[in-house]
Amino acid sequence: MTRYIQHAAAFCVLLLVALLVNTAWLQVLQAPSYGVNPANRRPTIARYEQPRGDILVGGRAVTGSRDTGEQLRYERIYTDGPLYAPVTGFASQRYGTAFLEHSEDELLSGTDPMLAGFPLWNGFTRVQSPGGDVVTTLNPAAQRAAFDGLGTRKGAVVAIEPTTGRILALVSTPSYDPAELSGNGPAVAAAWARLNDDPEKPMLNRAVRQTYPPGSTFKVITAAAALDAGVVRDLDARTDSPDPYRLPGSTARLVNEGEGCRDASLRFAFEWSCNTVFAKLGVDVGAAGMEAAARSFGFDDPTLRIPFSVVPSTFDAPEDRAQRALSSIGQYNTRATPLQMAMVAAAVANGGQVRSPYLVERTTRSGGSTVSAAGSRPARQVMRPTTAVRLRELMTDVVEEGTGRNAAIPDATVGGKTGTAQHGIGNQGTPYAWFISWAQGDDDMDPRVAVAVVVEDASARRGDISGGGTAAPIAKAVMEAVLHSPRAG
């Protein structure tokens, strides 16, 4: 009898061991494959069973969570959705996430291990921490000024604090309300189809995901390259620049919109945007010098993140001198995002140094304690400090005496550069209106803000479109909003 009991006990132990082995195999080895199996809805249900953390602007949450009472319980809501959509992106139960909602998803959803007091214990118990918050660098007044300034026109505005790299405004129009994509019902699917089929592309973030020919705003870089290389030594000396300028090795002739550009000084050419002078300067600096200058400012950099990715701006400095001449005035294959051109203005304002732009000041737990902070960003010297001083002088002249007078602000020093970029087949498309600038209040120790504005469909006759007439007033409103705001930090 005892032997039978021993056999039964041994068999039970064997079954227990088999059960433990099978459980361990399922929980440890097979868990990852079950976790990503489309038929497994547990991760999705768990993801939406608690409120999502918030994105804050100026100390105010511009996002929230609504309890739907459904299986996917909490749904994302937005305050001033179209205003902040290029920053927040969307968090959709059906279509995933975009922009800050995507790059900070782990923190906002509560799955970031940094949120847990005891990460190993939370991982063992599968307890999810409350979602954390993302504190942005945005200045709400500047963001609103940029959005209202663009109005119904297509375009983008980026404002940066030159000394730190903090992004103060990032706007793209036309925009959309990300709340339309939050749920998972038929209305969300219809909104998704409508937004993606819209020829105006409201979901395109023109500030960081669209490149444009920068036109004459690129002349800031060409001037910096010429001054650094010693091609130009005196701002007021006459240059050997014919008008019209026959492009080297070509029968094509480059002309100017205004008069007085023949052999004009760099000061006059910059103030009145003489194409012929800057095209010849680009040829004289050479392909290597122009390419090095553009790259130092940030062109051709595929690694830039703010924290979401930015489309690289590109500069083509071909050995063909005619093409290089056009590249040097922001045409041919030269392309730039508004963020990139704001960085160019910021570098001039900051003594020739540019700091990597960033959008997240810090992240916090739901109770307010800091998880991470941006800290000081490294500076990159993109031109000689003496060159930056001379460019600040030239940009100031543009606003005080030249094509950028619409950006002038009382009780402040403002520097700017206008641009009108041709595009389309035979350059017959409506030109893009550009303006890049920086501003320093009379009581400020250093420039407070650098801005880039591009307007795609300026509402004026083709011949009247210019960065000074269309884009400069928008930049002025943004700069005034920053100058009238208390300094952050």
Side-chain angles (χ1 to χ4, degrees), residues 19 29 31-32 43 51 53 95 104 111 149 206 208 219 254 281 334 342 349 390 401 415 441 474:
L19 179 62
L29 299 178
Y95 298 108
E104 301 294 337
T111 59
R206 290 171 166 83
V208 296
K219 292 172 183 174
L254 188 64
L281 284 178
T334 305
R390 297 165 99 179
E401 304 172 6
I474 301 172

Side-chain angles (χ1 to χ4, degrees), residues 178-211:
E180 292 186 87
L181 305 176
S182 293
N184 60 3
V188 171
W192 178 264
R194 172 175 50 79
L195 291 170
N196 280 281
D197 292 341
D198 191 331
E200 299 298 301
K201 298 182 179 179
M203 295 179 69
L204 172 63
N205 191 334
R206 290 171 166 83
V208 296
R209 297 284 173 85
Q210 177 72 24
T211 59

Side-chain angles (χ1 to χ4, degrees), residues 207-224:
V208 296
R209 297 284 173 85
Q210 177 72 24
T211 59
Y212 303 87
S216 293
T217 59
F218 191 83
K219 292 172 183 174
V220 174
I221 297 177
T222 303

Side-chain angles (χ1 to χ4, degrees), residues 321-405:
R321 294 187 298 163
Q323 293 173 346
R324 192 191 321 145
L326 295 176
S327 293
S328 300
I329 59 171
Q331 298 288 165
Y332 188 54
N333 288 336
T334 305
R335 308 279 298 187
T337 62
L339 174 66
Q340 174 62 67
M341 296 314 295
M343 292 169 62
V344 170
V348 175
N350 196 36
Q353 292 187 337
V354 64
R355 293 187 182 272
S356 296
Y358 64 99
L359 195 50
V360 176
E361 192 73 75
R362 64 183 182 277
T363 58
T364 67
R365 296 179 178 85
S366 58
S369 61
T370 298
V371 176
S372 65
S376 178
R377 295 299 177 98
R380 184 173 71 250
Q381 193 75 38
V382 302
M383 67 184 105
R384 294 176 182 173
T386 53
T387 296
V389 170
R390 297 165 99 179
L391 280 175
R392 283 186 60 165
E393 184 179 337
L394 293 177
M395 293 183 75
T396 303
D397 288 345
V398 169
V399 174
E400 293 181 352
E401 304 172 6
T403 57
R405 293 179 183 178

Side-chain angles (χ1 to χ4, degrees), residues 397-442:
D397 288 345
V398 169
V399 174
E400 293 181 352
E401 304 172 6
T403 57
R405 293 179 183 178
N406 285 335
I409 299 173
D411 302 321
T413 301
V414 179
K417 184 69 189 79
T418 56
T420 304
Q422 309 293 335
H423 70 102
I425 299 175
N427 288 335
Q428 293 304 303
T430 302
Y432 298 135
W434 277 94
F435 191 72
I436 65 173
S437 59
W438 51 266
Q440 178 176 348
D442 288 347

Side-chain angles (χ1 to χ4, degrees), residues 81-256:
L83 174 63
Y84 294 109
V87 175
T88 62
F90 57 81
S92 172
Q93 295 176 349
R94 189 181 186 113
Y95 298 108
T97 54
F99 298 117
L100 277 187
E101 293 277 28
H102 179 73
S103 60
E104 301 294 337
D105 181 61
E106 287 191 351
L107 180 118
L108 292 166
S109 64
T111 59
D112 190 334
M114 293 293 291
L115 295 173
F118 302 96
L120 292 178
W121 175 253
N122 281 30
F124 178 76
T125 60
R126 304 294 175 89
V127 173
Q128 187 165 310
S129 303
D133 295 335
V134 175
V135 180
T136 70
T137 59
L138 294 180
N139 178 313
Q143 184 81 1
R144 173 59 69 179
F147 187 77
D148 291 347
L150 284 170
T152 59
R153 293 172 292 191
K154 285 190 290 186
V157 179
V158 177
I160 296 175
E161 187 174 68
T163 56
T164 63
R166 298 170 69 249
I167 296 175
L168 304 177
L170 195 149
V171 168
S172 175
T173 57
S175 189
Y176 69 103
D177 188 353
E180 292 186 87
L181 305 176
S182 293
N184 60 3
V188 171
W192 178 264
R194 172 175 50 79
L195 291 170
N196 280 281
D197 292 341
D198 191 331
E200 299 298 301
K201 298 182 179 179
M203 295 179 69
L204 172 63
N205 191 334
R206 290 171 166 83
V208 296
R209 297 284 173 85
Q210 177 72 24
T211 59
Y212 303 87
S216 293
T217 59
F218 191 83
K219 292 172 183 174
V220 174
I221 297 177
T222 303
L227 289 167
D228 273 355
V231 173
V232 175
R233 299 182 184 277
D234 184 347
L235 298 182
D236 297 301
R238 287 165 57 88
T239 59
D240 181 16
S241 306
D243 182 13
Y245 173 53
R246 187 171 66 84
L247 298 177
S250 168
T251 59
R253 293 178 179 269
L254 188 64
V255 297
N256 300 290

